[in-house]
């Protein structure tokens, strides 16, 4: 037995002493995680007034295709004025991706830009939608003749800003695309009526809302 | 010199299946978008749910989503409009801009555009926004409850309603968020 061990054993037995050793403890740094989040907000500033907000598919130059639910609706009319009725097509036909395009000369559609600013593009491409206000009128519009039946009344519409409009026959709403470069403050109401006399048929008529 | 364009700001907040997201749309008085921002969807983790407890919802909606959106938007509207009761108060606090809750009613139209009727709650009224619609219900965020504030806000909304449907932007925002969510899900 070593002298050192004998000394230690005797010290413990007779003097109640034990050896205390020391050792360096390595410094530890705990990794701290946080639950705080930094939220990503898509930067989609407006670069300039959008020219025309529309859903023109490039390959269809004769009309506008708008997706409503699972149906694709097609209009015949494109340029301003009064909208024409849509022909609804069978379910299962999907619409085209919406984009922002500049209107070229009649009959041609040139893309304005294609970018990944998908949020702004999407909302700028969407038309505004108006529900019929016919149930809210208190009296028969004075613009109606005796042989005319009002079917729908849309308000407010900026007639001179209107680039195109489409009637969604399923929902009874009017989809509107404005030309944002024009600033015309006055608005009007658009009445859809059915003529019972003469040749009959449907007619759109601009009227004063008052 | 042309007068500066007036804008309205619309805010929506969605919470479904434990996931939260929000968006703001600023439009001019024709309803044409001037700025649009939306957040990534946020799904709070289990740890966050435990740590934040009952204040989780307020933290997510007010600090995280509204705060982030308000900081990001570049076109400042004259009025922020929400369709959710939890939006106007924190939004007014964060943006220092008048904020209100706006919604439809089933009431018969008032005689004239601009007519308003105070409601029992402070800062709330029903008003006739345009000649061809049912009156709308307006509730200003707490703090903006003076008669003058209500009167000015009604006047602003009546002016906007003469050229746009002042509730319509909410539906457009919903459509865009749905489209973005579908795109993110790869469908």
């Amino acid at each position: 037995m070593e002298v050192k061990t004998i000394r230690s054993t005797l010290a413990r037995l007779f003097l109640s002493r034990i050896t205390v050793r020391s050792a360096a403890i390595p410094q530890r740094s705990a990794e701290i995680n946080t639950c705080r989040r930094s939220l990503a907000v898509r930067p989609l500033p407006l670069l300039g007034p959008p020219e025309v907000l529309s859903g023109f598919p490039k390959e269809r130059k004769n009309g506008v295709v708008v997706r409503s639910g699972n149906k694709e609706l097609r209009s015949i009319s494109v340029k301003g004025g009064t909208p024409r009725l849509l022909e609804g097509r069978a379910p299962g036909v999907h619409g085209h991706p919406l984009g922002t395009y500049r209107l070229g000369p009649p009959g041609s559609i040139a893309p304005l830009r294609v970018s990944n600013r998908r949020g702004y593009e999407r909302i700028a491409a969407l038309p505004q939608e108006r529900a019929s206000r016919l149930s809210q009128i208190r009296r028969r519009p004075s613009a109606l003749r005796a042989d005319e039946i009002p079917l729908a009344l849309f308000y407010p519409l900026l007639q001179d800003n209107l680039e195109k409009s489409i009637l969604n026959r399923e929902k009874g709403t009017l989809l509107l695309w404005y030309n944002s470069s024009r600033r015309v403050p006055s608005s009007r109401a658009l009445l859809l009526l059915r003529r019972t006399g003469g040749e009959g048929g449907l007619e759109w008529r601009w009227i004063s809302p008052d | 010199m042309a007068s500066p364009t007036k804008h309205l700001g619309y805010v929506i907040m969605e919470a479904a299946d434990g996931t939260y997201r929000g968006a703001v749309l600023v439009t001019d008085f024709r309803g044409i978008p001037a700025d649009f921002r939306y957040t990534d969807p946020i799904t709070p983790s289990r740890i966050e749910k435990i740590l934040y407890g009952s204040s989780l919802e307020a933290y997510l909606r007010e600090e995280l989503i509204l705060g982030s959106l308000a900081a990001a938007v570049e076109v400042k509207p004259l009025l922020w409009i929400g369709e959710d009761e939890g939006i106007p108060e924190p939004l007014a606090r964060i943006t220092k801009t008048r904020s209100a809750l706006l919604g439809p009613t089933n009431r018969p139209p008032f005689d004239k555009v601009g007519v308003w009727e105070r409601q029992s709650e402070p800062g709330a009224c029903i008003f006739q926004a345009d000649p061809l619609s049912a009156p709308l219900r307006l509730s200003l965020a707490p703090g903006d409850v003076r008669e003058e504030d209500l009167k000015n806000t009604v006047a602003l909304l009546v002016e906007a309603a003469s050229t746009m449907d002042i509730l319509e932007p909410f539906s457009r925002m919903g459509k865009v968020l749905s489209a973005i969510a579908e795109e993110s899900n790869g469908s």
Side-chain angles (χ1 to χ4, degrees):
Chain A
M1 188 178 284
E2 291 180 17
V3 177
K4 191 177 176 184
T5 308
I6 294 170
R7 189 185 298 156
S8 173
T9 303
L10 291 176
R12 179 165 54 82
L13 290 175
F14 297 105
L15 302 173
S16 299
R17 289 180 182 172
I18 57 170
T19 305
V20 177
R21 301 182 188 279
S22 68
I25 300 171
Q27 291 284 331
R28 292 188 186 185
S29 62
E31 188 180 347
I32 299 171
N33 292 313
T34 177
C35 292
R36 183 171 179 174
R37 296 182 183 206
S38 63
L39 189 62
V41 176
R42 305 287 186 199
L44 300 164
L46 179 62
L47 295 178
E51 295 288 327
V52 175
L53 313 176
S54 72
F56 279 110
K58 287 182 198 171
E59 64 270 30
R60 299 190 183 191
K61 297 183 179 178
N62 296 329
V64 177
V65 177
V66 173
R67 187 178 171 190
S68 172
N70 58 355
K71 289 200 171 185
E72 187 181 87
L73 308 171
R74 174 194 275 178
S75 81
I76 302 164
S77 161
V78 173
K79 290 295 289 180
T82 54
R84 294 186 190 172
L85 296 178
L86 295 175
E87 52 183 22
R89 287 207 276 173
V93 180
H94 295 282
H96 297 261
L98 294 170
T100 306
Y101 298 92
R102 185 202 305 275
L103 263 192
S108 72
I109 299 161
L112 172 64
R113 59 176 173 264
V114 178
S115 73
N116 59 0
R117 299 187 312 122
R118 58 177 190 165
Y120 180 79
E121 277 192 350
R122 281 186 180 280
I123 200 125
L126 273 183
Q128 294 187 39
E129 193 168 16
R130 297 280 186 274
S132 174
R133 307 265 183 107
L134 200 58
S135 61
Q136 301 295 335
I137 60 173
R138 298 190 194 94
R139 60 181 184 276
R140 185 180 165 87
S142 57
L144 278 177
R145 291 189 290 270
D147 62 347
E148 293 172 338
I149 302 169
L151 299 178
L153 180 63
F154 301 103
Y155 176 82
L157 273 69
L158 300 171
Q159 184 182 3
D160 295 325
N161 275 63
L162 199 58
E163 197 62 51
K164 59 184 174 289
S165 54
I166 297 174
L167 178 70
N168 183 337
R169 286 207 298 194
E170 290 190 347
K171 290 172 68 181
T173 58
L174 191 67
L175 304 173
L176 310 170
W177 284 266
Y178 282 143
N179 184 337
S180 63
S181 61
R182 296 182 206 143
R183 294 198 169 274
V184 184
S186 63
S187 62
R188 303 186 75 187
L190 185 59
L191 183 66
L192 174 62
L193 57 93
R194 181 183 294 282
R195 290 188 300 266
T196 56
E199 296 179 354
L202 299 173
E203 183 185 330
W204 290 97
R205 190 174 296 165
W206 289 101
I207 64 170
S208 167
D210 299 320
Chain B
M1 190 173 147
S3 59
T5 305
K6 295 176 181 175
H7 293 100
L8 294 178
Y10 292 85
V11 185
I12 60 172
M13 197 90 72
E14 293 181 348
D17 303 326
T19 298
Y20 296 76
R21 61 181 180 170
V24 296
L25 169 64
V26 180
T27 77
D28 63 14
F29 277 18
R30 297 171 297 172
I32 293 175
D35 202 347
F36 175 67
R37 313 277 168 157
Y38 64 96
T39 68
D40 285 332
I42 307 162
T43 305
S45 66
R46 194 170 167 220
I47 290 175
E48 285 171 316
K49 287 177 184 169
I50 295 167
L51 283 175
Y52 286 94
S54 59
S55 63
L56 176 68
E57 176 120 356
Y59 163 70
L60 285 172
R61 295 170 68 99
E62 297 176 14
E63 285 189 39
L64 211 51
I65 295 178
L66 282 182
S68 301
L69 288 171
V73 75
E74 289 180 3
V75 181
K76 307 296 180 190
L78 296 172
L79 175 71
W80 284 108
I81 301 170
E83 59 174 359
D84 180 329
E85 283 185 4
I87 289 177
E89 191 277 324
L91 195 60
R93 182 165 27 86
I94 292 166
T95 63
K96 314 283 186 229
T97 302
R98 188 170 297 162
S99 303
L101 185 68
L102 192 66
T105 70
N106 294 323
R107 295 272 297 265
F110 293 142
D111 290 337
K112 285 173 65 178
V113 172
V115 170
W116 57 287
E117 184 182 289
R118 189 179 265 283
Q119 299 296 290
S120 55
E121 309 94 284
C125 75
I126 289 175
F127 72 104
Q128 188 66 38
D130 65 59
L132 295 173
S133 66
L136 299 178
R137 180 183 173 77
L138 171 72
S139 297
L140 292 181
D144 283 338
V145 292
R146 291 176 303 165
E147 182 106 353
E148 195 67 16
D149 295 321
L150 209 48
K151 189 177 164 186
N152 291 341
T153 307
V154 167
L156 182 75
L157 289 170
V158 165
E159 183 185 348
S162 68
T163 48
M164 68 179 284
D165 181 335
I166 53 176
L167 289 179
E168 183 271 344
F170 286 124
S171 68
R172 251 186 294 165
M173 295 171 78
K175 286 175 190 169
V176 172
L177 284 185
S178 298
I180 290 170
E182 280 178 21
E183 200 174 75
S184 303
N185 293 335
S187 56

